[in-house]
Amino acid sequence: MPKDPHSDLPAGPRHVAIIMDGNGRWAQARGRPRLFGHHAGARRVREVVEACPDYGVKYLTIFAFSTENWKRTQVEVAGLMSLFRRYISKEARALDEEGVRVRFIGDRVRLDPKLIKLMDSLEDLTKNNEKVHLTIALNYGGRDEVARATKRLAQDVADGKLLPEDVDEETLPKYLDTQVLPDPDLVIRTSGEARISNFLLWQSAYSEYEFIDTLWPDFTAAELGRLCQGFGNRDRRFGAVKI
């Protein structure tokens, strides 16, 4: 079991990724529209980001909107896009002051130009921060990411920048949206669903998973701490056998 060299406690995950599920059900259980739950979920993000340094989490990646979420009602999609714009505008200064570096991953082509401008501005504002690296997956899908990466890789081969025989499992990650990030150590999905929903498919090949019943708006810093502590007690062998 891994140990923190500065503590008697097991070492926790350096990179945590979260599928923030259950906002709609949380709202419906209270007789409110689904967007009410999404707003509650957005407020929960701040608490989790602020708690990351307490548990040794340097990188936090959250799944905000998938490539499949466009299939939801026009009202919900429009409400979510408005929420994203409002969240970025409202939280930008606080994130920067707290030393959080923000990145966005996903295909931006389909997003509203005003939202893209806000995303670009937030990334630029926080580019020198190092306390916590917050990555927001927006219009993101794991298969879509791999397909886009493969196209870029294929173009480099066609242009003679890369030889086909030099392509291996170390090559593709350099073309992924997450190329500057370490792979997630721990992936958490809230709301009781036990599926990965096309999230970080390549990067999570050896991640530990936690599927918990808590709906995302009820997720707390304390629960994050409990899951990080449990991670430290796992025996991670990455396919090898310890002798």
Side-chain angles (χ1 to χ4, degrees), residues 201-240:
L201 298 181
W202 179 281
Q203 300 88 335
S204 63
Y206 282 101
S207 301
E208 300 292 325
Y209 274 83
E210 287 282 1
F211 299 102
I212 62 174
D213 291 334
T214 306
L215 301 177
W216 174 247
D218 291 327
F219 189 82
T220 64
E223 188 149 21
L224 174 64
R226 178 182 65 79
L227 295 172
C228 287
Q229 183 176 4
F231 169 90
N233 293 320
R234 295 193 181 198
D235 184 13
R236 306 183 76 206
R237 298 186 297 275
F238 299 97

Side-chain angles (χ1 to χ4, degrees), residues 10-11 37 56-57 63 138 146 155 172 198 209 237 242:
V57 177
F63 203 2
L138 186 55
V146 171
Q155 187 62 57
L172 185 63
N198 200 18
Y209 274 83
R237 298 186 297 275
K242 292 184 178 180

Side-chain angles (χ1 to χ4, degrees), residues 27-160:
Q28 290 172 339
R30 289 159 176 76
R32 304 296 297 272
R34 290 177 58 85
L35 281 172
F36 179 76
H38 293 308
H39 281 271
R43 291 192 295 271
R44 184 60 63 192
V45 171
R46 174 186 276 249
E47 178 183 345
V48 172
V49 172
E50 291 177 345
C52 282
D54 296 335
Y55 304 118
V57 177
K58 185 76 172 180
Y59 298 87
L60 175 68
T61 300
I62 57 175
F63 203 2
F65 189 88
S66 77
T67 50
E68 289 76 32
N69 286 156
W70 296 103
K71 300 173 184 177
R72 297 186 179 187
T73 67
Q74 185 175 355
V75 170
E76 185 171 357
V77 170
L80 282 167
M81 294 301 154
S82 175
L83 173 60
F84 297 146
R85 292 192 297 270
R86 185 180 308 175
Y87 176 84
I88 294 172
S89 299
K90 180 181 178 182
E91 297 292 331
R93 178 178 295 183
L95 288 166
D96 184 43
E97 291 176 349
E98 292 166 9
V100 179
R101 177 165 187 174
V102 181
R103 295 181 178 88
F104 292 90
I105 59 173
D107 188 356
R108 302 189 186 193
V109 173
R110 194 171 177 180
L111 298 177
D112 178 77
K114 292 181 180 179
L115 175 56
I116 295 173
K117 185 176 180 179
L118 287 169
M119 293 161 64
D120 290 340
S121 296
L122 182 55
E123 287 182 324
D124 185 63
L125 175 67
T126 63
K127 64 184 179 182
N128 295 319
N129 296 337
E130 290 290 336
K131 188 175 182 180
V132 176
H133 291 251
L134 172 63
T135 302
I136 302 173
L138 186 55
N139 194 30
Y140 174 88
R143 289 181 174 180
D144 176 73
E145 179 191 28
V146 171
R148 288 186 287 106
T150 304
K151 287 180 182 178
R152 291 193 291 270
L153 189 155
Q155 187 62 57
D156 279 354
V157 171
D159 293 342

